[in-house]
Amino acid sequence: MKYFKLSDDMERENDIICHVGAGMSLSQNTFVVGCPYTGDCEQICFTYNEDEGNEATDYLANDKGWFIVSEKLKGLMEDMDTEIQYLPVKIIEENRKTELRGYYIANIIRVVDALCLECSTYFTTHIPQIGDVHTVSKYGIYEKKTRGSDVFKLGMRQEIPIFVSEKFRDAMFAHQITGICLKEIKTC
């Protein structure tokens, strides 16, 4: 099976880009490390300026780097082999104060130990308090260690990127999901 690294589609123009709302104190890493969130969802609010972009995509780019997805993309992923916690998020247009409804933070809980350093391009930095940290520029994974996952993150301090299967890619194209760019990665 083929696997892909997921990112936001930077080639589109006029897409909404969300910015963290005033007063939100959640850490940047809250929804990137693969742990369930048990806090209050009411404080999660983003804003956007319609003059800077007004096209709502299925994956909304944002200044926290979180996976903010539409109801449509959420429904697609609910049929996949993965573990994702969906948290409703408020998205408000900053001038008109209208709310963009039907969006969620997709907190990916499934973390697999599938990083294959032999197939990856990386360098290693030793941090005394932590140990070796691998900075990966091109990913390779062990296919068998993905546990058949369709949406997942990697262990070994590589939890920020999101990876998806060929099944996800095919469903994404079939349902015309917007805002996502996929780059195929090596499998070992």
Side-chain angles (χ1 to χ4, degrees):
M1 176 169 309
K2 293 180 182 178
Y3 289 93
F4 304 84
K5 181 181 173 193
L6 182 148
S7 61
D8 53 353
D9 187 348
M10 300 301 286
E11 294 184 15
R12 293 175 48 96
E13 294 182 20
N14 210 29
D15 287 352
I16 291 172
I17 299 176
C18 298
H19 304 280
V20 69
M24 190 169 70
S25 61
L26 293 175
S27 162
Q28 179 110 10
N29 290 334
T30 301
F31 300 112
V32 297
V33 295
C35 295
Y37 179 70
T38 58
D40 181 15
C41 294
E42 291 299 313
Q43 70 168 329
I44 303 173
C45 181
F46 284 85
T47 63
Y48 71 98
N49 185 317
E50 200 171 68
D51 295 333
E52 296 172 0
N54 61 11
E55 293 289 325
T57 54
D58 293 303
Y59 170 27
L60 287 179
N62 62 90
D63 59 0
K64 282 284 195 182
W66 295 343
F67 195 29
I68 300 178
V69 302
S70 67
E71 185 75 41
K72 179 179 172 183
L73 181 51
K74 175 182 178 276
L76 182 143
M77 291 190 299
E78 287 174 331
D79 291 335
M80 300 280 163
D81 184 353
T82 191
E83 298 164 53
I84 301 176
Q85 176 187 30
Y86 296 99
L87 304 158
V89 62
K90 287 185 182 180
I91 301 171
I92 308 293
E93 200 287 325
E94 63 187 34
N95 296 316
R96 295 184 308 139
K97 305 299 182 205
T98 55
E99 186 174 349
L100 184 60
R101 298 186 184 274
Y103 280 87
Y104 303 84
I105 294 173
N107 184 21
I108 300 166
I109 308 300
R110 180 156 308 161
V111 177
V112 297
D113 187 19
L115 179 62
C116 175
L117 291 175
E118 291 81 25
C119 292
S120 299
T121 303
Y122 68 98
F123 66 87
T124 304
T125 305
H126 183 77
I127 300 173
Q129 301 86 343
I130 297 173
D132 288 342
V133 176
H134 306 294
T135 302
V136 181
S137 58
K138 291 184 181 177
Y139 285 88
I141 61 170
Y142 294 108
E143 180 179 356
K144 291 181 180 179
K145 291 186 176 185
T146 65
R147 302 185 336 228
S149 302
D150 292 312
V151 181
F152 59 94
K153 293 180 174 256
L154 295 174
M156 295 179 61
R157 297 185 188 94
Q158 298 297 318
E159 291 90 356
I160 291 176
I162 298 168
F163 297 91
V164 298
S165 70
E166 192 171 2
K167 178 181 173 183
F168 176 95
R169 182 204 59 187
D170 294 347
M172 183 187 99
F173 289 136
H175 290 88
Q176 299 178 344
I177 299 296
T178 58
I180 291 178
C181 181
L182 299 177
K183 182 174 181 174
E184 187 172 353
I185 61 171
K186 291 181 182 179
T187 55
C188 305

